[in-house]
């Protein structure tokens, strides 16, 4: 077959999932939807509140009723719909710590109903990575845990819950981003595991997601020499075809992680990476976290058309990709219709999950330190931001503690500004030290060690991965969401 130029251009637009700036659709997005654009992706910058979001998606749907509206809402530290307040849900690691798949499914279903009511139809979640490397700088609490079987059962539960709620799930980051010390936003991670180890570890949750009927899988920008010694997973015909399609039996939409991430864009260029991904077997190209403009979308669309005309991208492959996107669009229309008007449990299910995830570890020296009965001084140690989380999302325990114990004071320090004695302002008061991934940050460990030497009665609250337990009383929330912080404050004051 040989498509005329206009049809080929429409097919190229159909496989793009661009972002844009603003809380209403810009004119170029409206024009592109009329000309074949199959999907858009929303970020925190596009969301001001539930009513605004519903209005935004309605405006998109007025241009194309079956447009796929995607979002990256993990319902944990990574949140787009609650980025200005912090998530009302606890996130994956907390759900894994509770290890109640029915609870995980309930949390995900509630999220699905909320997103569907707002007009979102595809969620780039759940994170199905096995966080087997505690030093991982980008996954951490986004994972359900370090055990493949635990991650698998909660990945399947999350997929079932979200899709029962009316929104397509997207398991990520295939074939698994958990065993890395490199963030693919910045460079290309290399996964050194053997093929047998990958099949017994990283791939187990993705098999479970496929078995649960997941509608989409997101690729990871990862080099996995045991599977493909030269090409990152996103660009590898074997990983996307032989492994994901044939061995795992996945028939849904394969969407790339953001194509502008440096792991692939620095090596192949934005357009080059997009074309190679489609040729390898991807069906949709996510772009727009950083390049959210018509010029970028045009460059990618024109590069796809040129690649077909030049023989680099088979016409049949592009048509297949566009067809799969259309099938996903049809699924989302039907799923959303099924859930219209369905009742939600609301924030209660998220807070209940966060409460169940709190773990307190104590030594004999910590007897009597909880509950806090007087306003404490809270010292929060702020690590560098994970780019996936976003700079606007608040975190910390001081605010919910102050609501329970008026008069609570706080100080926040980072690696560039931490005093020799961070306990100085806490004389005569209870002291709470709040950390995130204490095991990964030398400066933070040094500061906390000094603080505990001066104040062995200090309570340590870990909002990240609780790999390093220290202090006479250590409280782990398994996440830094608003729900996790409130659950921590309640436990600190209730004992």
């Amino acid at each position: 077959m040989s498509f005329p130029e206009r049809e080929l251009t429409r097919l190229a637009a159909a496989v793009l999932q661009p972002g844009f700036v603003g809380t209403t659709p810009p004119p170029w997005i409206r024009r592109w939807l009329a000309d074949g654009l199959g999907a858009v992706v929303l970020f925190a910058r596009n969301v001001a509140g539930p009513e605004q979001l519903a209005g935004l998606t309605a405006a998109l749907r007025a241009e194309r009723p079956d447009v796929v509206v995607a979002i990256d809402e993990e319902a944990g530290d990574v949140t787009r719909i609650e980025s200005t307040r912090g998530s009302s849900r606890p996130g994956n690691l907390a759900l894994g710590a509770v290890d109640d798949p029915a609870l995980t499914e309930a949390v995900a279903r509630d999220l699905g109903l909320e997103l569907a009511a707002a007009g979102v139809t595809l969620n780039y979640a759940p994170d199905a990575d096995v966080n087997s490397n505690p030093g991982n700088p980008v996954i951490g609490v986004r994972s359900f845990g370090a055990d493949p079987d635990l991650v698998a059962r909660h990945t399947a539960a999350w997929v079932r819950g979200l899709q029962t709620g009316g929104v397509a799930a997207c398991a990520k980051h295939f074939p698994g981003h958990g065993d890395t010390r490199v963030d693919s936003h910045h460079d290309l991670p290399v996964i050194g595991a053997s093929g047998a180890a990958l099949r017994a570890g990283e791939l187990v949750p993705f098999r479970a997601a496929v078995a649960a009927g997941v509608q989409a899988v997101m690729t990871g920008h990862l080099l996995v020499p045991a599977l493909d010694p030269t090409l990152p997973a996103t660009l590898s015909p074997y990983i996307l075809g032989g492994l994901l399609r044939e061995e795992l039996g996945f028939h849904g939409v394969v969407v790339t992680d953001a194509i502008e991430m440096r792991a692939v864009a620095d090596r192949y260029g934005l357009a080059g990476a997009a074309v190679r991904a489609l040729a390898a077997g991807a069906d949709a190209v996510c772009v727009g976290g950083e390049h959210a403009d018509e010029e970028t979308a045009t460059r990618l669309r024109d590069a796809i058309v040129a690649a077909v005309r030049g023989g680099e991208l088979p016409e049949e492959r592009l048509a297949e990709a566009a067809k799969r996107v259309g099938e996903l669009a049809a699924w989302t229309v039907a799923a959303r219709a099924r859930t219209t008007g369905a009742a939600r449990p609301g924030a209660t299910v998220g807070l209940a999950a966060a409460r169940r995830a709190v773990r307190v570890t104590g030594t004999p020296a910590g007897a009597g330190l909880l509950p806090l009965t007087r306003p404490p001084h809270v010292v929060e140690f702020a690590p560098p931001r994970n780019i996936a989380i976003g700079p606007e999302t608040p975190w910390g325990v001081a605010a919910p503690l102050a609501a329970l114990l008026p008069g609570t004071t706080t100080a926040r320090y980072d690696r560039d500004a931490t005093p020799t004695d961070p306990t100085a302002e806490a004389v005569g008061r209870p002291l709470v030290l709040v950390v995130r991934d204490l095991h990964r940050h030398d400066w933070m460990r040094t500061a906390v060690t000094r603080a505990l030497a001066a104040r062995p009665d200090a309570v340590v609250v870990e909002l990240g991965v609780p790999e390093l337990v220290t202090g006479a009383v250590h409280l782990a929330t398994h996440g830094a969401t608003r729900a996790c912080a409130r659950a921590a404050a309640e436990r600190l004051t209730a004992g």
Side-chain angles (χ1 to χ4, degrees):
M1 74 182 122
S2 182
F3 291 110
E5 194 72 16
R6 178 170 175 77
E7 180 60 20
L8 188 57
T9 300
R10 288 180 66 85
L11 289 174
V15 301
L16 295 179
Q17 296 190 348
F20 57 89
V21 176
T23 54
T24 58
W28 75 269
I29 285 287
R30 293 178 182 271
R31 281 189 282 102
W32 276 60
L33 288 171
D35 290 337
L37 181 65
V40 298
V41 56
L42 305 180
F43 294 87
R45 65 185 177 225
N46 304 119
V47 181
E51 292 184 5
Q52 169 273 326
L53 178 57
L56 168 61
T57 61
L60 294 168
R61 215 155 265 117
E63 304 294 339
R64 178 169 182 162
D66 67 343
V67 60
V68 174
V69 181
I71 202 166
D72 190 4
E73 177 58 53
E74 296 179 11
D77 286 21
V78 177
T79 179
R80 308 302 180 224
I81 60 172
E82 298 186 278
S83 64
T84 59
R85 299 187 301 154
S87 179
S88 56
R89 301 173 178 90
N92 283 5
L93 190 64
L95 293 171
V98 176
D99 197 13
D100 178 352
L103 176 66
T104 295
E105 186 168 343
V107 170
R109 181 176 183 274
D110 181 63
L111 174 65
L113 290 170
E114 181 176 5
L115 292 177
V120 174
T121 57
L122 170 64
N123 189 8
Y124 296 153
D127 190 311
D129 299 311
V130 180
N131 196 57
S132 54
N133 187 338
N136 196 312
V138 68
I139 302 301
V141 297
R142 301 168 66 193
S143 165
F144 290 109
D147 176 74
D149 292 330
L150 179 146
V151 176
R153 60 179 171 266
H154 287 279
T155 294
W158 218 96
V159 168
R160 289 192 301 268
L162 187 75
Q163 294 190 168
T164 301
V167 173
C170 179
K172 63 186 182 187
H173 307 81
F174 188 80
H177 206 319
D179 189 16
T180 74
R181 285 187 177 271
V182 174
D183 182 347
S184 51
H185 290 91
H186 305 301
D187 205 348
L188 180 65
V190 178
I191 310 296
S194 68
L198 290 166
R199 285 171 171 81
E202 279 80 357
L203 295 180
V204 174
F206 290 99
R207 288 186 185 277
V210 172
V214 71
Q215 290 295 308
V217 169
M218 176 175 280
T219 67
H221 301 324
L222 314 161
L223 185 65
V224 191
L227 302 176
D228 189 320
T230 58
L231 291 172
T234 298
L235 314 182
S236 170
Y238 170 70
I239 292 176
L240 301 189
L243 182 59
L244 180 57
R245 294 289 188 200
E246 296 175 20
E247 185 174 330
L248 270 63
F250 178 63
H251 302 296
V253 167
V254 176
V255 58
T256 72
D257 205 347
I259 208 69
E260 64 260 53
M261 289 166 63
R262 297 182 64 180
V264 292
D266 279 3
R267 289 162 176 79
Y268 303 95
L270 208 63
V275 168
R276 285 172 177 259
L278 291 166
D283 304 304
V285 177
C286 173
V287 66
E290 299 173 33
H291 298 276
D293 55 82
E294 184 176 13
E295 180 182 353
T296 297
T298 301
R299 181 152 54 106
L300 294 182
R301 183 194 62 192
D302 292 352
I304 293 168
V305 171
V308 172
R309 294 301 186 214
E312 184 182 355
L313 175 63
E315 196 174 64
E316 296 80 5
R317 171 80 272 275
L318 178 60
E320 177 188 49
K323 181 182 177 182
R324 283 207 186 99
V325 172
E327 291 169 345
L328 174 62
W331 184 95
T332 65
V333 170
R336 190 161 168 261
R338 286 195 302 270
T339 60
T340 299
R344 289 180 50 215
T348 56
V349 68
L351 182 57
R355 286 168 174 157
R356 290 178 63 184
V358 172
R359 299 289 183 269
V360 178
T361 304
T363 69
L369 294 182
L370 294 183
L372 300 176
T373 57
R374 295 181 294 131
H377 181 64
V378 180
V379 178
E380 297 175 337
F381 297 96
R385 282 279 181 160
N386 178 329
I387 193 171
I389 295 174
E392 70 283 341
T393 306
W395 65 274
V397 174
L401 257 181
L404 297 173
L405 293 174
T408 294
T409 57
T410 184
R412 179 169 289 189
Y413 304 115
D414 60 26
R415 64 184 174 186
D416 298 320
T418 301
T420 302
D421 181 11
T423 72
E425 297 177 63
V427 175
R429 309 181 66 181
L431 177 62
V432 178
L433 306 174
V434 182
V435 297
R436 293 178 77 173
D437 293 339
L438 180 63
H439 64 287
R440 291 204 304 111
H441 303 286
D442 292 341
W443 68 270
M444 193 185 297
R445 286 197 305 278
T446 298
V448 169
T449 298
R450 287 174 178 165
L452 288 174
R455 288 288 304 269
D457 62 332
V459 176
V460 178
V461 176
E462 171 64 82
L463 301 183
V465 178
E467 183 71 15
L468 177 59
V469 176
T470 188
V473 174
H474 181 277
L475 187 151
T477 62
H478 302 90
T481 72
R482 176 164 51 97
C484 291
R486 179 173 168 183
E490 290 174 351
R491 189 65 175 272
L492 289 170
T493 55

